Amino acid sequence: MVRTPLTPWERQRGEELGRLLREARGGRSMVEVAARAGLSSETLRKIETGRAPTPAFFTISALAHALGLSLDALAQACADVPDPAGEAMTA
């Protein structure tokens, strides 16, 4: 199966998601948070660095729970990322 290339906006949303997760992780180690979410630390690293900009819903749900974040707030923050093509992209 061939995956459609991501748009610049999708990449920026992934980077914003990673930034939000890094910020919420604070001083906790990547290994600790990943284990608490039931993920590998490499998966968390890829998400936080934007190398995995479109993680599965259940992955984000597990991370949000492990970090005490609201899924609504995460979704809204990522939806508010401006589209580099100039189109409004709000939820």
Side-chain angles (χ1 to χ4, degrees):
M1 178 165 86
V2 176
R3 184 171 179 165
T4 306
L6 297 175
T7 66
W9 181 65
E10 289 168 326
R11 289 194 182 283
Q12 285 184 322
R13 281 188 320 184
E15 290 170 5
E16 178 63 10
L17 174 64
R19 186 192 67 74
L20 291 167
L21 293 174
R22 274 192 313 277
E23 186 177 286
R25 185 164 55 85
R28 291 176 279 188
S29 77
M30 192 175 285
V31 172
E32 174 189 344
V33 171
R36 187 162 183 202
L39 307 170
S40 71
S41 56
E42 183 59 25
T43 296
L44 180 54
R45 179 179 289 105
K46 286 179 181 178
I47 294 168
E48 284 190 357
T49 60
R51 288 186 301 159
T54 58
F57 171 79
F58 293 105
T59 300
I60 296 306
S61 178
L63 283 169
H65 180 73
L67 293 167
L69 296 172
S70 157
L71 281 174
D72 288 338
L74 274 178
Q76 188 62 54
C78 293
D80 287 343
V81 171
D83 180 359
E87 299 174 16
M89 294 289 199
T90 58

